[in-house]
Amino acid sequence: MTSEGDDVPTELEDVDIKLEADNGDRRLSVTLPDGEEYEPLPMPSPEALSDNEGKVTTTMAPMDFRLDRIPYASAYRCSEKGISAITGANSVFIPKASLTVHISEAVRQTTARGGLNPYLYTVEVTHGKFSWTIRRRYKHFNELHDRLQAYRVTAKIPIPTKKHRQRRKTMKGGKSEVKIPHFPKRPEATIKLEGLPKRRVQLENYINAVVQNKVYREHSATKRFFGISKISFIEDLGVKAMEGVIKKQTGSHKVALNFLGRCCPCCDCAHSDIGLRWADRWFVVKDTFIAYLDSKKLDTITGVFLFDGATTVEYDGNSFSILLLTNQSRKMKLNCWTARKAKEWKQAIQDNVDKYSEDLTNSNIRLQSFAPPRPDTYCHWFVDGRNYMSAVADAMEAACEEIFITDWFFSPQLYLKRPIDPTDKWRLDKILQRKANQGVKVYVLLWKEIKGTVTTFSCYAKSHLSGLSSNISVLRHPDFAPDQTLWAHHEKIVVIDQSIAFIGGIDLCYGRWDDHLHRLVDQDPNAPADTTTIGDTTQQENGGQAEPTAAKKMPAAMPLTMMGMMAVGLVDQAGQTQQKQQQPTTKTEDDEVKQSKTMRFTRRLRNFDPRRKKSSVLSQAFSHGVTDANYGTVSDTKPLIVEKKRGWRYWRRGVEDDSSDEEDQPRGRQEKGDGNYFLQKYQQMADHVNNGKLVLWPGKDYYNMMIRDFAELDNPFADVLNRNKEVRVPWHDIASVSYGKAARDAARHFIQRWNFTKLQKKREKETVHFLMPKTYSKTSFQMLDCNPHRRVPQAVKANVQVLRSSSVWSAGIFQVDCSIQNAYQHAISAAEHFIYIENQFFITMMGSQRVFNIISLSLFNKIVQCHEKKKQFRVYVVMPLIPGFEGDIANAAESRSIRVMLYYQFKSISRGPSSLLQRLDDRIGKDEWRNYISFCGLRQHSELNDRPVTEIVYVHSKMLIVDDRITIIGSANINDRSLSGSRDSEVAIIVEDNQFVDSTMDGKPYKAGVFSSALRRRVFSEHLGLLPADDDGTLTDYDPLTYVTTKPIDDVTCDYFFNEVWMKTSRTNTATFEKVFRCIPSDSIHVSTEIATFYEKRLLDDDIELSRKELSKISGTLVQLPLLFLSEEDLLPNALSAEGVLRLADTFL
């Protein structure tokens, strides 16, 4: 079926554009006036134009086909045939836009080299909305004429090609041919001043005739004469400014791109002029950056220079023909040949820096951030992953040009919307593939973890995504270097079309999808009632906790890891692998035949795949019939369950450890050496989807890091836990979305990191592009402004500023950016009534020689100040009850990572002279701090196999709210790793309300900010159990500002709320959990040896029904943080252990 494109403007009378539909695929075909047809172009699917309810959205097109502008995406699509008639991707000119030239001035300017061309002509050029000025001498006009004449002569040669026949046909003349006037050949030196006006008219007529001829206009010589490249007229990149060839000195980066190129790590030879050369580059000055291209082709961007607070352009010493261009990451020398050209370039660059930089070049931006505050910016918050991931999915589906993603941990097979669609429509990799096939460019920037440390498996994510489409590019950073081993890229950002930015603490990975119900159990109704514990054969079903082995205690097996906090898990895996490989197994003849067939199948599979790697994990698993350390080989003659004593994990959750006779029988499990194993796992999951009974957390998404860390992430649909015996850890998190200029700031940060990574790793690879930031002009936001439905409905206006922690190793900038820490200090200092903190960590000390962030000091000063003024003031801190690492806290050898984190957190909160509470005791009086500050955690309960169970709710948020008027949301933890700027890279936003609602504070009328107050009420309602009881997790009709709760939560400063609501609820919940489950951690346990007897008197073992009755008293998930837990035990690791070594390197801090 073929139909005319209704939306195509009538100006295209000489271009035939048709929209073809075949089997649901939409393609755009283009036929030019000469009859030449271009191959069809893929068009977005109808789903891209529909909303969540399937209704077609006619107001938003995935591509903009206006013929008065060139889309931004065409900057990266110059090689796509046929798109030039629509986007100008092959042609650099705007379709149907005239190009007019006027020579406004001619002045005599002679130089030592310009005696034969004494006159300098000022040429004013207009093309569509773009106007610019160039200065040329007669020799430049003459060179253009000679090139065009040579081109015309060669066109008359009858070369038998289609392209050449078309060129000859155009040259022969016809109705559309523009006659080129005679070019004035009289030497310029013989022309006197009185004859200059006539020469101006001759040259102007000639050049206007040239640009009216399509063939001459498209000639490279014409483009060079006018200073035009493929990015000149892309409106989203800003105004048309100066362009041309300059000699650039190589080696302009302040950061050595490869440490192996230095004589030694501390040597600065990389910054000297030794071995440097000059190379021609085509420079393009835009609004907020300079791009330079290959000077010969003009189609390959070879670098991008961003304007920032350190941008300067000066002459290099006494040479007035050489410019020195500087920003936070580069110092670039440019040879302009003459002083006049150098002056013109200097003025052009400075003009754009001053006029269009949107305060980005201010050297004193508030909070010392790279981006200024953006007033009246639409923004919204998300509590927990469900609504966040749904909004991300919708934004990705509406993407028109680009998708930027950077995460600490990225899982391609993550489902962003649930219940899961049977077609996998909302699976992350499917969304990205669908958009990439529609022409959207997808750029993913991942942290490259040190092999053998944390299990983020970024290599698999890159391999999987890169194979989906050529429009998906993935980079990992950093490669190993001596000065880069300790820190991580911890940012969580998704940016759509550089206009929508999601920023917060939620990675797009397994385990993060959750809602306010925080379910512990997610059993598959189609699965058999298998109660075995997934794992190795030595692991019992005591809640998933493995017993220690000799291999686990070997410090020699512990490598020096980057994070350190996961180090124990690495030894556990290595020990289990070694032990299992040494265990004898009895093989039957059938087993040997099966293994032989499997190996033959594997060899054929390997030979079939030309991209295979000899040492890949998958191929090893196939060829040897084994899995990795967490799974092990299971034979039919060896039982999966070995009866052992009960562990603390069993008692902590209340899972009953009664192995029936049936459970003790051997259970065969299909060997993963079978090549069909993964397909069968996926098919089983797909069958459950079709039956409408699929679990909410499939495969690896059902996760409890304290039982078992991730493994086999390339097998995403295989469970890592036994759903019938082990509960998941609910995940509480916070994120945000912002629009407009703030989103463009976040995109700019991503672009800076991407370009820096490309320079280090893929400098010469043209398929990996340098990225360019869009302009901040109002016209560049028209697509967003004209389509308000692209914003989440709850978005409100506020003042938003993007913050970050970045430095040399993470972003290539020589000035450390610690604006997140500055924002925390600013917000705490500005607090008048209360401070609410949710964070994964709380490592901040006063007077410490190793911890230097000032969060604790800021809180201390604020509390002391309010105490001295006798002013009502509250600080609420919510954090995890226990660090989220695998290990048995009762066993010091198995829980070194947990213990070292507990050591630093307790030392920050309540133990030792550097702690906040002890300092407050010394300053304002013993236990007076209890009137000002509280530390709490979250815990949930449920039922598994008709028996109550419990687990902590892991707090992963990185949020601060002050006075219901200021909010900080991001990826930064409260520790030096996140806040120092020179360690982990982080991104956050600070939101300051400018819209207010009536509220109450300390018993008095108060104007609360709409953004901050709504978020704080939503979070408090969740923790205190005040959300609608009949909600299914979506909170569809819930508005925190209007919903009437059973307990007052508007005034959180008054005594009633602090004592009778917050503290009373947390105490009641804590007491109930301890009575029923005897939960760990607990204030009743001062040394780990007390854990064994701690569970002897728990109600759950005596009366399940009474336990259920007691649990009904619990409201929400709020419990008190046990500040006395292991208070009499030394939590520091042995100095010879990996944690001990890493502690000396401040890896945990």
Side-chain angles (χ1 to χ4, degrees), residues 1087-1101:
V1087 292
S1088 56
T1089 55
E1090 297 175 352
I1091 294 178
T1093 59
F1094 180 65
Y1095 304 104
E1096 293 178 355
K1097 296 181 180 180
R1098 62 175 190 168
L1099 183 61
L1100 182 62
D1101 294 332

Side-chain angles (χ1 to χ4, degrees), residues 825-967:
Q825 182 184 17
H826 162 76
I828 294 173
S829 300
E832 295 289 337
H833 302 284
F834 78 90
I835 297 170
Y836 178 68
I837 295 174
E838 278 188 7
N839 209 279
Q840 183 184 4
F841 297 108
F842 193 87
I843 301 179
T844 172
M845 306 176 193
M846 289 178 283
S848 172
Q849 299 300 313
R850 302 183 60 215
V851 178
F852 302 104
N853 73 77
I854 58 175
I855 305 304
S856 182
L857 178 61
S858 299
L859 292 173
F860 172 82
N861 290 337
K862 177 56 64 175
I863 293 174
V864 169
Q865 179 185 27
C866 293
H867 177 77
E868 293 175 348
K869 293 181 178 180
K870 300 185 185 317
K871 184 177 182 179
Q872 201 85 284
F873 189 80
R874 313 294 184 186
V875 178
Y876 302 89
V877 180
V878 175
M879 56 188 293
L881 289 172
I882 197 166
F885 306 121
E886 184 178 358
D888 184 354
I889 192 64
N891 189 324
E894 292 186 16
S895 59
R896 291 193 293 262
S897 294
I898 299 176
R899 286 167 173 262
V900 71
M901 293 306 301
L902 287 175
Y903 169 80
Y904 284 117
Q905 293 197 154
F906 284 137
K907 191 174 181 181
S908 299
I909 297 172
S910 58
R911 301 177 190 175
S914 298
S915 67
L916 174 61
L917 300 188
Q918 186 162 329
R919 285 288 185 104
L920 288 174
D921 276 343
D922 296 340
R923 182 64 178 270
I924 65 176
K926 183 69 173 177
D927 289 339
E928 284 295 319
W929 58 267
R930 297 183 185 276
N931 296 319
Y932 296 97
I933 187 170
S934 71
F935 288 87
C936 293
L938 305 178
R939 178 175 287 279
Q940 182 63 292
H941 67 92
S942 183
E943 296 233 348
L944 178 61
N945 299 329
D946 296 322
R947 185 178 177 86
V949 290
T950 185
E951 183 57 278
I952 71 168
V953 177
Y954 194 70
V955 179
H956 192 257
S957 320
K958 299 92 170 57
M959 175 183 68
L960 176 140
I961 300 176
V962 169
D963 294 345
D964 278 352
R965 289 182 176 178
I966 301 175
T967 300

Side-chain angles (χ1 to χ4, degrees), residues 144 337 405 414 417 469 721 785 891 906 999 1069 1091 1141:
L144 173 62
W337 287 288
I405 302 174
L414 178 70
K417 290 191 178 184
S469 171
L721 298 176
D785 295 337
N891 189 324
F906 284 137
S999 183
N1069 291 349
I1091 294 178
V1141 174

Side-chain angles (χ1 to χ4, degrees), residues 281-299:
R281 293 288 182 265
W282 183 273
F283 272 68
V284 183
V285 180
K286 304 302 288 185
D287 282 12
T288 62
F289 69 96
I290 297 174
Y292 48 96
L293 294 74
D294 187 305
S295 61
K296 296 180 180 179
K297 300 179 181 179
L298 295 188
D299 63 351

Side-chain angles (χ1 to χ4, degrees), residues 35-133:
E36 183 176 0
E37 294 186 1
Y38 287 90
E39 57 190 43
L41 304 173
M43 288 287 290
S45 62
E47 289 83 357
L49 302 178
S50 62
D51 57 18
N52 294 338
E53 299 178 355
K55 299 178 182 178
V56 175
T57 305
T58 58
T59 57
M60 180 181 62
M63 290 185 66
D64 192 353
F65 292 113
R66 290 168 47 198
L67 298 185
D68 61 344
R69 67 195 303 268
I70 300 176
Y72 166 83
S74 64
Y76 306 117
R77 295 175 177 169
C78 60
S79 62
E80 291 188 12
K81 184 181 178 183
I83 203 171
S84 61
I86 299 298
T87 66
N90 287 340
S91 172
V92 301
F93 295 97
I94 302 171
K96 294 299 176 181
S98 62
L99 180 65
T100 59
V101 183
H102 172 60
I103 300 178
S104 61
E105 185 181 17
V107 297
R108 186 178 182 88
Q109 275 194 5
T110 57
T111 62
R113 289 186 276 178
L116 298 179
N117 300 276
Y119 298 109
L120 184 66
Y121 297 91
T122 301
V123 184
E124 297 177 352
V125 191
T126 302
H127 180 52
K129 298 179 180 179
F130 296 89
S131 298
W132 69 103
T133 301

Side-chain angles (χ1 to χ4, degrees), residues 493-517:
I493 309 175
V494 178
V495 181
I496 309 297
D497 295 336
Q498 299 193 34
S499 299
I500 305 172
F502 295 88
I503 298 174
I506 305 178
D507 291 286
L508 296 179
C509 68
Y510 301 131
R512 270 53 167 178
W513 191 95
D514 212 331
D515 54 35
H516 71 89
L517 298 178

